Amino acid sequence: MTSDPSGPHPAIPTASDAAARKKGIPMTAMLAALSAATFLCGAAGLTIATAQDGSPATLPDLPAPRIQEPIIPLPQSIELDGRKVLLGRRLFTDSRLSSGNGLSCASCHQPALGMADGKPVSSGLPHYEGVVNTLTVLNVGFNTKFSWSGQTLSLEEQADKVIENKRTMGGRWETVLSDLSADSGLTTAFGRIYADGLTRKNVVDAIAEYEKSLVTPNAPFDRFLRGETDAIGEDAKAGYRIFKDYGCISCHQGVNVGGNMLQVFGIFGTPTSATDGANTAGAAQGSGIADDKPVFRVPSLRNVAQTAPYFHDGSARSLREAISMMAQYQLGREISDGDVSKIESFLDSLSGDPPLPPVN
Ligand code: HEC
Ligand code: HEC
């Protein structure tokens, strides 16, 4: 067993988690987040299986992670149908999916901007302005709840709904299907993969398969977890220790360092961006967690350095600001500039290799 410079094994439950539980963070939610994070692989570079017959590819035997921590490295190989990934990528950049609004998924989920759009809130559409910050779709296949509200439970459900969302694509499925069906190249491509060809369900399926391929492996922190003790610097190690000691880890954990549970935003006091209480834009309604406060899905912190501005409304312009606000409103503590810098170094180390284009 290698020595672990970041703290005791395993890191949870810790005193800070016990404190967090007192503050109402259910242990079951934490465990659910952990058990959802079971993707461990060991080959070099992200590999996407391209089984031509759609049969599942087998993964190699995997070495155990060297350091047991509440954050799990992203896999380096992943089992997907490469043909669907390619088709999904094509659809992701196709503005016919917005029925004349000129928008594709890639208008807001841009590779150069961490698969988000860099704006405080998304621009939306005429008469239906955007009200929430665009979430990244990097590593989105490892979330178990989707959107700021966390009320969407699968990538397929999200893709199906977003086409007709008036603030997002503003399309109509009927029109989308007739427009796409008029493209013989596309109908042929669907026919090669799906027995029933180009259908709403299959459009959704291909988009979701592409989204699952958007994995960013080999972040310095993941390499550190796999035993490369020099992969991150002393500041990042100290930052990770603080992240655990303060209790950030009780919400941001698992393979995506978040993405798996709902929590109140503003456990200690009301952030200025959440003054509408439970009616704050983007918040979950009727989640049963809190009646008077806004409840959000805890976002993933992977590649977070690339996706400013932060929070559901983009109100934190920098990562430093977001870290301080989290300490204040989620954990009820003032945090020194030095500790903010260390946590920032740790969060920086969560940026991995950009997803490789799929190979046929
Ligand atoms: C006008 C900008 C815009 C367009 C176009 C757009 N999105 Fe998004 N996307 C957003 C915003 C804003 C959110 C957060 C929405 C929310 O929480 O209510 C989001 C969230 C998502 C999420 C959830 C991510 C997570 O971590 O939960 C997925 C997946 C996604 N979009 C996929 C798509 C797909 C697929 C398309 C095209 C069919 C698309 N988006 C088109 C702005 C956009
Ligand atoms: C009680 C659960 C909880 C704890 C503890 C917590 N967070 Fe969060 N975190 C959230 C939620 C919920 C959000 C989304 C808030 C919003 O946008 O409305 C969030 C958002 C963030 C964001 C912005 C992500 C983005 O993409 O916009 C960062 C950065 C962050 N947290 C870091 C931290 C750090 C650092 C700590 C410890 C100091 C911490 N969090 C503690 C629940 C938590």
Side-chain angles (χ1 to χ4, degrees):
M1 182 60 74
T2 47
S3 72
D4 171 8
S6 301
H9 303 231
I12 62 160
T14 63
S16 53
D17 288 336
R21 278 201 301 285
K22 267 189 235 138
K23 288 163 198 153
I25 299 162
M27 191 62 189
T28 46
M30 292 184 210
L31 293 175
L34 277 179
S35 64
T38 54
F39 309 86
L40 291 164
C41 301
L46 179 73
T47 321
I48 297 169
T50 55
Q52 289 301 304
D53 57 358
S55 63
T58 39
L59 290 169
D61 278 346
L62 309 172
R66 300 282 294 279
I67 301 174
Q68 291 298 327
E69 288 292 333
I71 296 175
I72 318 258
L74 284 167
Q76 292 168 298
S77 79
I78 184 166
E79 191 182 311
L80 293 171
D81 184 328
R83 300 166 310 163
K84 291 185 183 178
V85 171
L86 278 173
L87 181 57
R89 184 174 65 157
R90 198 161 149 189
L91 295 166
F92 200 83
T93 55
D94 193 330
S95 63
R96 286 174 295 190
L97 267 61
S98 69
S99 312
N101 288 321
L103 290 172
S104 73
C105 311
S107 307
C108 298
H109 300 286
Q110 301 173 23
L113 298 168
M115 283 309 229
D117 61 8
K119 297 174 183 162
V121 295
S122 86
S123 45
L125 286 159
H127 311 299
Y128 294 98
E129 280 170 20
V131 287
V132 286
N133 179 259
T134 300
L135 284 160
T136 180
V137 288
L138 291 175
N139 306 304
V140 74
F142 300 100
N143 291 339
T144 57
K145 299 181 189 311
F146 301 88
S147 85
W148 286 102
S149 73
Q151 302 293 278
T152 304
L153 297 179
S154 72
L155 275 179
E156 288 78 8
E157 184 189 344
Q158 196 281 337
D160 188 80
K161 286 198 297 200
V162 73
I163 299 290
E164 296 197 343
N165 186 314
K166 291 194 166 44
R167 295 187 198 279
T168 318
M169 295 289 277
R172 287 187 56 226
W173 266 113
E174 207 184 330
T175 318
V176 169
L177 291 176
S178 67
D179 287 353
L180 295 180
S181 299
D183 179 338
S184 61
L186 206 53
T187 51
T188 308
F190 270 93
R192 280 201 205 103
I193 305 172
Y194 300 98
D196 51 351
L198 199 163
T199 65
R200 174 168 170 173
K201 185 166 172 291
N202 295 343
V203 168
V204 161
D205 184 71
I207 292 174
E209 195 81 346
Y210 166 62
E211 290 177 315
K212 288 172 198 165
S213 79
L214 299 171
V215 184
T216 63
N218 300 318
F221 188 72
D222 284 358
R223 288 169 31 219
F224 167 73
L225 288 177
R226 290 199 300 258
E228 264 184 68
T229 43
D230 295 341
I232 62 174
E234 289 310 316
D235 264 13
K237 286 177 192 168
Y240 179 46
R241 213 154 29 225
I242 299 168
F243 193 82
K244 289 196 292 188
D245 289 349
Y246 277 19
C248 312
I249 196 80
S250 54
C251 294
H252 297 281
Q253 56 166 279
V255 76
N256 255 357
V257 202
N260 296 313
M261 69 169 91
L262 297 180
Q263 283 293 342
V264 165
F265 181 39
I267 295 175
F268 296 88
T270 306
T272 44
S273 63
T275 45
D276 285 344
N279 295 322
T280 302
Q285 301 293 335
S287 66
I289 292 178
D291 292 338
D292 54 338
K293 295 197 168 196
V295 171
F296 290 98
R297 181 203 60 180
V298 176
S300 164
L301 298 183
R302 288 208 172 266
N303 307 293
V304 71
Q306 297 165 28
T307 57
Y310 303 102
F311 297 145
H312 63 278
D313 62 346
S315 56
R317 273 157 304 172
S318 69
L319 197 47
R320 297 185 66 84
E321 206 179 318
I323 295 165
S324 305
M325 283 181 67
M326 276 285 128
Q328 180 182 352
Y329 292 111
Q330 301 304 78
L331 296 163
R333 60 196 298 167
E334 288 293 319
I335 178 171
S336 70
D337 281 353
D339 283 358
V340 171
S341 297
K342 288 177 185 133
I343 294 181
E344 190 181 18
S345 296
F346 158 60
L347 295 180
D348 280 346
S349 77
L350 291 170
S351 292
D353 297 343
L356 295 172
V359 249
N360 203 349

